[in-house]
Amino acid sequence: MTGDVPTWQDLDLMISRNGLSEQGIATAQWALGRLRTMLGGSWLARQYRKQGRLPSELLMAGVHRAAMPQALSFVLRLERAIAEPTFAPVRSALARGVDGSSWRHMLLQLEVARAAADQGAAVSFEPSIPGSTKKGDLLISDGTGPEWMVETTTVPRAVMDMSWHDYEDWFQALVRQVEHRHNVTCAVVLTDHMAEEETQDWLNAVELVAASAADVPGPQVVPSDIGAVTVYRGTPPPGTVTFTGAAQYRDGWHRLGRTLGAKAKQIAGPWPAWIRVDCLDGLFQFTEWARMAPEDRLDAIATEMRNRVMWPANADGVVLSSGPAVSIGATNPLTENVTVQNGAGAFLRRLISPHLVRETFVVLVRDGAQPRSAWWTRAYGSEPTWLDVDLSRAGQAHLQTLWNDRPPQSQCQRRPPTGTPLPASTQSEMPSVVVPASTSVDALP
């Protein structure tokens, strides 16, 4: 940054110096220009002060393969929504700057509105629920029957997860200092965490080995009760991962169930209602459920939702998603795209863009809601086409032309259980990382 808060010029400089093609730079600059026009030149500073950072979709658009499609999607969806008069309160709140929770909520509203557009449906925002003092998030008119309501929400990362992340960031930073002091490379593999004092004793041992590395040929392993650090005097072998975090596990239902229970009370009213929820707290990453076959996962989550939540009579179902998620090496829709449907609803996995995947569960909580289940399945099934359609409508080039051939890579991973999702390791709420069982985890694009 050139000052205390980031500027539009700072973002432009970041875009221009990294992995985008000339066309990509031009399109990203166009998108930033549109955003500045819609929200005002001072919005960036207001948003930074409100959230304590810039949204990662904007901050990392030029350097992270997952960020650019999301940044463009946000700008294009926002421009479409602004044309709808009922969006005015949402726009006003956004223009003042929003916190992280409100930012995610707004992104989900825009996403559902885009899904509705894909299906030729009309939406209005923030509808008042008749007979209630509450409001919904969207009201959808699809021309096939009565209007129906969607309530959007996110299950964010838990405090425990953030503490886990902080420990590994702290550990990695201290290891890198050892490397710098002694001109070595350290490959870290963690299997668990331990108290700070014990961790410091381990790091002291790594320091001693690194200091004597010039006198000992070959790599040296410094073990501990929670993993090992391998110290290389020279360049490590090609493909060496220099940081592998410890696996995490979660009781995936607890926080989701609590969220759905609260939303079930909120949606009670005359309109048929769906809840659209992104679960970012580890359900898609660190649970036994995440390791099941899609059919079994669908049946298991449907059973939990139906039996453990008190649903009002107007509740139709839940659309549960991982959110847009990095999937390392995922570029072929023929191998990534999966659709499973049964009496409980539907499971979808879609390659949204190269290296960006979404997993979605459309879950029925009452009989008779199958037509709208099919509506959601069609909408999210075609999500890979949304961005290019919107770019073309705006007179911009397709996404595949916007990157250089070889994007920057990082040699860091946080290890999931085999074949399960993996959370991204950025401080700014980048999307969860979904790793297919057939994919190695050597570098993030």
Side-chain angles (χ1 to χ4, degrees):
M1 290 192 314
T2 55
D4 294 335
V5 297
T7 67
W8 298 100
Q9 290 75 21
D10 290 331
L11 290 184
D12 184 76
L13 186 62
M14 293 175 68
I15 287 168
S16 302
R17 286 186 172 181
N18 290 289
L20 301 180
S21 66
E22 289 186 10
Q23 180 61 63
I25 293 171
T27 298
Q29 290 174 336
W30 167 84
L32 288 178
R34 294 303 305 137
L35 188 60
R36 185 172 186 174
T37 297
M38 288 186 284
L39 298 178
S42 59
W43 173 77
L44 208 63
R46 289 196 299 273
Q47 180 60 35
Y48 179 85
R49 293 189 178 101
K50 185 70 175 183
Q51 195 173 0
R53 59 179 182 267
L54 287 184
S56 58
E57 295 88 352
L58 303 181
L59 185 63
M60 303 183 73
V63 298
H64 199 295
R65 198 78 166 191
M68 182 63 160
Q70 294 178 87
L72 294 175
S73 293
F74 164 59
V75 172
L76 291 162
R77 293 171 189 176
L78 181 63
E79 192 156 37
R80 180 192 292 266
I82 284 174
E84 165 56 44
T86 58
F87 187 73
V90 183
R91 179 186 183 181
S92 296
L94 175 61
R96 292 192 296 270
V98 295
D99 60 19
S101 176
S102 298
W103 175 262
R104 291 190 299 269
H105 185 264
M106 180 268 304
L107 290 181
L108 267 181
Q109 285 182 287
L110 293 175
E111 180 187 297
V112 173
R114 183 61 184 87
D118 179 78
Q119 294 299 295
V123 301
S124 56
F125 294 86
E126 308 284 343
S128 296
I129 301 175
S132 170
T133 60
K134 300 173 182 177
K135 291 185 176 183
D137 287 321
L138 301 104
L139 190 63
I140 297 180
S141 303
D142 60 16
T144 63
E147 295 176 312
W148 48 287
M149 185 179 73
V150 179
E151 182 70 13
T152 63
T153 190
T154 299
V155 182
R157 297 172 68 187
V159 172
M160 180 172 61
D161 186 39
M162 297 298 289
S163 297
W164 190 279
H165 186 172
D166 289 344
Y167 176 91
E168 298 200 350
D169 281 353
W170 167 74
F171 188 92
Q172 186 174 187
L174 293 178
V175 167
R176 300 308 169 225
Q177 291 176 24
V178 170
E179 290 179 326
H180 179 72
R181 284 193 292 269
H182 302 289
N183 194 28
V184 297
T185 299
C186 296
V188 178
V189 176
L190 297 180
T191 57
D192 202 349
H193 294 174
M194 59 186 177
E196 182 174 337
E197 182 177 353
E198 296 170 309
T199 304
Q200 190 60 60
D201 289 341
W202 184 23
L203 288 166
N204 291 340
V206 173
E207 180 98 39
L208 289 174
V209 170
S212 63
D215 302 322
V216 181
Q220 300 178 73
V221 178
V222 186
S224 82
D225 292 338
I226 64 163
V229 176
T230 302
V231 180
Y232 294 91
R233 180 176 57 181
T235 303
T240 299
V241 177
T242 57
F243 190 89
T244 301
Q248 296 170 277
Y249 294 89
R250 294 286 185 274
D251 173 6
W253 172 254
H254 176 70
R255 299 181 78 235
L256 174 61
R258 184 174 61 189
T259 297
L260 292 179
K263 288 298 179 182
K265 297 176 183 178
Q266 185 173 340
I267 64 174
W271 292 318
W274 284 77
I275 296 174
R276 169 69 185 89
V277 54
D278 270 354
C279 209
L280 308 181
D281 72 333
L283 176 67
F284 283 81
Q285 291 82 24
F286 308 121
T287 62
E288 289 299 321
W289 174 79
R291 305 178 71 178
M292 298 178 184
E295 298 90 340
D296 296 333
R297 292 171 73 191
L298 178 55
D299 288 337
I301 202 69
T303 298
E304 295 285 350
M305 288 183 183
R306 291 174 178 176
N307 295 340
R308 296 177 63 174
V309 177
M310 296 294 293
W311 295 105
N314 65 310
D316 274 359
V318 177
V319 180
L320 173 68
S321 169
S322 64
V326 177
S327 184
I328 302 164
T331 58
N332 186 354
L334 294 178
T335 58
E336 296 297 332
N337 292 357
V338 178
T339 302
V340 173
Q341 299 185 71
N342 61 24
F347 165 80
L348 301 167
R349 180 183 171 96
R350 288 294 183 271
L351 183 67
I352 303 173
S353 65
H355 311 286
L356 193 65
V357 169
R358 181 195 300 278
E359 291 187 350
T360 303
F361 290 83
V362 181
V363 181
L364 297 165
V365 299
R366 73 167 181 86
D367 295 333
Q370 283 81 2
R372 294 192 186 97
S373 172
W375 187 97
W376 286 109
T377 303
R378 291 192 304 271
Y380 277 95
S382 63
E383 184 178 9
T385 69
W386 294 358
L387 181 52
D388 275 344
V389 168
D390 292 346
L391 285 168
S392 294
R393 184 180 292 115
Q396 298 297 313
H398 282 189
L399 183 66
Q400 65 182 3
T401 69
L402 306 186
W403 289 301
N404 289 328
D405 290 338
R406 296 185 62 83
Q409 292 188 330
S410 162
Q411 290 293 313
C412 174
Q413 66 170 339
R414 298 185 187 275
R415 183 175 57 192
T418 302
T420 65
L422 171 75
S425 58
T426 68
Q427 65 171 356
S428 51
E429 300 274 354
M430 281 298 291
S432 301
V433 179
V434 175
V435 180
S438 61
T439 303
S440 64
V441 190
D442 290 335
L444 296 182

